[in-house]
Amino acid sequence: MRKLQVIYGVILAWQTIDVLLPLNDVVPKQDRLPVPLSAMIDERPVSDFAADRIGRLLSDLGTFQDMAIPIPEQLVGLVPFADPAPIARRIVDEFASLPWDYVFSLRLPRSIGTVLATLMDGVGPMEIGGGISLVRTGDALQEQFPLPYASNLLMALGAKGAWETDAVYLQVPGSGYADRYGTTGTVLRAVETLQTFLGLGIALHLFRYNPSSNSTPFGPPRSSYHVHRHVAGAWVHDASVDMEATVVMGLEGFDCTGLAGSQSYVGFVGAVLQTMKSCFSLPSEAGRILRAAQWLAGSYASRNETLAFVQAMVAMEILLGDKKTSDMVGIGELLSNRCAYLIGESQADREAVLAEFRGLYKVRSEIVHSGKTRLSYSEREKFQMLRSICQRSIAAEIELLRKNQAG
């Protein structure tokens, strides 16, 4: 800690954080924790944990120094850190107590939240498997998961000081360690769950996608997810992390299907959420489905059409791929045949799907192997076909999973 430096009085100078790297040598090569440290944090678990804990203490105990050009100063030169030994012992004790239990609250796209909120009046949290829940904002949410008071207008505009009104949040439990900036494996898995939820909704016709260009008078739309840690029997606010503006714009394009508002929609939503529950409740058995749904959602949210095409094809490869078999017959041919037999309802339908998918895989190869940067008009039509096939394939795999569950 004596070699660490600080800028502005409250921020660790990133150039000096590397002095903590030798700490990672103390981690046993055989990690026997229920959640491996590399999955919990990353491949540098001790140094990154220590840097984040020191950074949090700096934010709480340091004094901001306004200067045009930041001049690094020694961390131990600050009064609260003059004796680093007690702080080091505290960080070691905290690390030894991992994993910690969290709940991550991620706001659903507003157009979806508005519809679901009307269906959740007086219902309370809706559990959708694996401890994941849909929760509407209200007094009960604020009481169980308090957020710090929005002390100024900028905090309020950034949605960091309060739960958004009439919003619905996806609450995802997690065990491990969550840093302030949302970079550890524990955080990333929770954030990815939102994409998985949206991808499943697309495949099951609960959601659709309309590209969004939403902006506010203050710039691009903003959204933060909130992190609460379980401490002494209560949920304590740990961090609120801003999502990137481009990510938020991509997510805001997800919307409810045209059935929204009809009386039958209530029953339809319930049926779809029950179907999702069969996936989230058995993450091992449904692993391919969940990952494919995440990549499908990413394909819709992406603003780059060639990247989005590849993402949709990756979803198919996750769902139907098999490295050992593909090495013998080729991944394109393997996917084409498996897809045709999964969603084809007749011999003619299978042959049509087989032909279509071979054409789609050819476009994928041109993008990946030749650096193709734009899709032609006919290729855009094929892209829509790829997404449709991907949705049908995910839905078919879910149906097979549910049949297996039923015995």
Side-chain angles (χ1 to χ4, degrees):
M1 286 179 63
R2 295 186 182 279
K3 294 182 180 180
L4 291 174
Q5 294 183 331
V6 181
I7 56 175
Y8 298 113
V10 292
I11 302 174
L12 275 181
W14 64 268
Q15 300 95 330
T16 66
I17 293 177
D18 283 353
V19 302
L20 300 173
L21 288 177
L23 295 175
N24 298 301
D25 295 337
V26 305
V27 178
K29 294 191 181 296
Q30 295 296 324
D31 188 348
R32 301 187 185 281
L33 286 172
V35 181
L37 289 170
S38 57
M40 190 188 303
I41 303 176
D42 57 27
E43 68 273 14
R44 308 186 311 180
V46 186
S47 60
D48 284 3
F49 177 86
D52 188 61
R53 301 312 292 176
I54 294 169
R56 288 174 184 254
L57 286 173
L58 261 177
S59 297
D60 294 338
L61 304 176
T63 301
F64 179 73
Q65 300 174 17
D66 190 6
M67 54 183 75
I69 300 176
I71 301 174
E73 57 182 319
Q74 297 301 117
L75 174 67
V76 293
L78 304 180
V79 173
F81 299 89
D83 181 5
I87 295 174
R89 284 194 294 270
R90 172 180 171 178
I91 292 173
V92 169
D93 290 342
E94 288 180 333
F95 186 80
S97 71
L98 294 177
W100 294 344
D101 292 328
Y102 296 91
V103 166
F104 301 86
S105 301
L106 303 109
R107 179 182 59 76
L108 296 185
R110 290 189 176 91
S111 56
I112 293 176
T114 300
V115 173
L116 294 186
T118 61
L119 305 179
M120 296 175 65
D121 282 333
V123 174
M126 299 173 64
E127 209 269 332
I128 59 171
I132 303 167
S133 298
L134 295 173
V135 184
R136 183 179 179 178
T137 52
D139 293 340
L141 181 63
Q142 174 62 28
E143 183 177 347
Q144 186 177 7
F145 297 95
L147 292 179
Y149 174 70
S151 58
N152 57 50
L153 178 61
L154 289 178
M155 280 183 66
L157 290 173
K160 284 193 173 185
W163 296 101
E164 291 193 33
T165 305
D166 295 326
V168 174
Y169 286 80
L170 186 74
Q171 288 199 315
V172 183
S175 181
Y177 180 69
D179 68 316
R180 292 181 299 163
Y181 303 108
T183 63
T184 65
T186 304
V187 182
L188 295 177
R189 281 191 298 278
V191 174
E192 289 165 359
T193 302
L194 175 58
Q195 280 194 320
T196 301
F197 173 77
L198 296 172
L200 290 174
I202 286 277
L204 297 170
H205 305 291
L206 179 61
F207 306 138
R208 61 186 175 185
Y209 195 82
N210 294 310
S212 169
S213 57
N214 293 338
S215 60
T216 71
F218 305 97
R222 299 183 65 184
S223 182
S224 302
Y225 58 88
H226 306 299
V227 185
H228 287 79
R229 182 160 71 95
H230 200 247
V231 180
W235 292 108
V236 178
H237 179 259
D238 190 74
S240 289
V241 183
D242 279 333
M243 302 181 79
E244 293 182 11
T246 53
V247 173
V248 177
M249 291 179 69
L251 292 175
E252 288 299 328
F254 289 92
D255 191 6
C256 289
T257 56
L259 291 172
S262 66
Q263 189 63 36
S264 60
Y265 192 68
V266 178
F268 177 64
V269 170
V272 171
L273 293 181
Q274 193 63 32
T275 300
M276 287 187 184
K277 191 171 184 177
S278 65
C279 297
F280 285 122
S281 298
L282 296 170
S284 297
E285 292 86 339
R288 285 179 178 247
I289 295 171
L290 296 173
R291 292 192 299 275
Q294 177 196 333
W295 279 83
L296 175 62
S299 172
Y300 276 102
S302 176
R303 297 303 175 105
N304 182 311
E305 62 180 4
T306 52
L307 174 60
F309 191 102
V310 172
Q311 286 175 302
M313 188 60 76
V314 168
M316 293 299 296
E317 293 185 27
I318 292 170
L319 198 65
L320 303 175
D322 181 331
K323 186 178 187 308
K324 184 176 180 180
T325 307
S326 66
D327 287 345
M328 294 185 289
V329 302
I331 183 65
E333 195 63 20
L334 174 67
L335 294 179
S336 299
N337 280 278
R338 287 189 171 179
C339 180
Y341 276 87
L342 178 64
I343 65 175
E345 297 179 355
S346 65
Q347 184 61 35
D349 193 19
R350 287 174 180 169
E351 290 177 359
V353 172
L354 191 62
E356 288 167 352
F357 201 89
R358 284 170 175 162
L360 294 171
Y361 201 81
K362 181 180 179 182
V363 176
R364 175 264 187 201
S365 297
E366 290 176 358
I367 296 171
V368 173
H369 299 299
S370 302
K372 185 181 181 70
T373 57
R374 292 184 300 276
L375 299 180
S376 65
Y377 181 81
S378 61
E379 288 169 340
R380 290 192 184 100
E381 290 184 326
K382 290 181 178 179
F383 185 19
Q384 298 309 313
M385 175 64 68
L386 172 59
R387 281 176 169 165
S388 175
I389 289 175
C390 189
Q391 291 169 211
R392 291 169 61 191
S393 298
I394 292 174
E397 285 289 323
I398 292 174
E399 186 61 29
L400 290 175
L401 175 69
R402 300 192 75 188
K403 288 180 178 177
N404 289 337
Q405 290 174 346

